[in-house]
Amino acid sequence: MIRRTCLSREERIEIRKIIREKTGYLMDISILDQIFRRSSFAAETGENSNEIFEFIGDQVLNYYVVKIIANRCGSFSLTDGYTFRIRENQFTQIKQSFVNNDTLAKIIDEWDIAKYLLLGKCDIKNNVVNESKVKADLFEAIIGAIAVKSNWDSAILEAAISKALDIDTKITSMIEND
């Protein structure tokens, strides 16, 4: 693998197009380098890494996945209170099926964007670009950047996560197959 120092203009345009297609969000092109910059690369260059976006994205992802599942499977009535169409352990299983490293890595593979990661020498040597955790971190960094750049707009975040994970289709399938 060749060491890259930054994303090219063409790569930024391509990544932006993919993110918009897959999430519905038009990412600010100026932030793409940081989204794709691993901490090993940032340590070598003195630039900001994607870690803060990854942290934010992890939290936002968990919140909206739970919210979407709860909205799809739960309801409130004056007579029964809040009821749920599935058991708690099913809820946990469904949530985990969306936010685990393998699922998020598969999405990044489908989007074919891990190749754009800006890696430090050690990451290149250890070929971390193929690790599920590294790809999942990239997905979370994208979601975190959407959160920050959209000024935490809940409608944008919910729509982006729902679209990226295809949640409604998968929940319907899981419930019907149970």
Side-chain angles (χ1 to χ4, degrees):
M1 173 175 241
I2 298 170
R3 180 173 162 92
R4 308 151 47 80
T5 57
C6 67
L7 298 172
S8 71
R9 181 178 184 282
E10 294 77 21
E11 289 170 330
R12 286 185 193 103
I13 291 168
E14 177 65 17
I15 292 166
R16 185 179 193 212
K17 179 180 150 214
I18 291 167
I19 291 173
R20 184 171 192 183
E21 176 187 320
K22 302 300 185 179
T23 69
Y25 185 76
L26 184 60
M27 184 63 70
D28 183 341
I29 208 159
S30 67
I31 203 163
L32 290 174
D33 280 88
Q34 186 176 356
I35 293 169
F36 282 79
R37 192 179 300 128
R38 297 238 329 133
S39 60
S40 64
F41 182 91
E44 293 173 10
T45 62
E47 298 171 288
N48 291 325
S49 75
N50 67 359
E51 285 183 332
I52 190 63
F53 289 138
E54 176 194 333
F55 173 79
I56 292 168
D58 178 58
Q59 303 307 309
V60 168
L61 184 62
N62 278 296
Y63 173 79
Y64 281 100
V65 167
V66 167
K67 181 179 187 274
I68 293 165
I69 295 168
N71 285 343
R72 178 73 167 81
C73 299
S75 63
F76 183 79
S77 73
L78 293 175
T79 57
D80 296 329
Y82 187 72
T83 59
F84 220 60
R85 293 184 12 204
I86 58 176
R87 296 181 312 279
E88 181 192 1
N89 67 335
Q90 287 177 294
F91 189 118
T92 301
Q93 289 171 350
I94 291 171
K95 179 198 167 257
Q96 278 306 114
S97 74
F98 288 110
V99 297
N100 71 68
N101 287 342
D102 291 336
T103 297
L104 301 179
K106 184 178 177 198
I107 291 168
I108 292 299
D109 284 340
E110 290 169 0
W111 296 3
D112 193 28
I113 59 174
K115 63 188 176 193
Y116 298 118
L117 279 166
L118 299 171
L119 306 168
K121 294 172 188 168
C122 185
D123 279 353
I124 293 170
K125 179 181 175 186
N126 293 321
N127 199 28
V128 301
V129 73
N130 292 318
E131 294 177 12
S132 292
K133 173 73 170 114
V134 170
K135 294 174 188 177
D137 290 349
L138 176 58
F139 184 89
E140 291 169 348
I142 291 167
I143 298 301
I146 292 172
V148 171
K149 293 304 284 182
S150 73
N151 199 28
W152 302 87
D153 186 302
S154 61
I156 289 172
L157 289 168
E158 188 167 339
I161 291 167
S162 183
K163 183 173 183 165
L165 297 175
D166 193 21
I167 290 180
D168 200 47
T169 302
K170 291 177 183 172
I171 289 174
T172 300
S173 174
M174 289 174 182
I175 293 171
E176 289 173 357
N177 292 331
D178 192 39

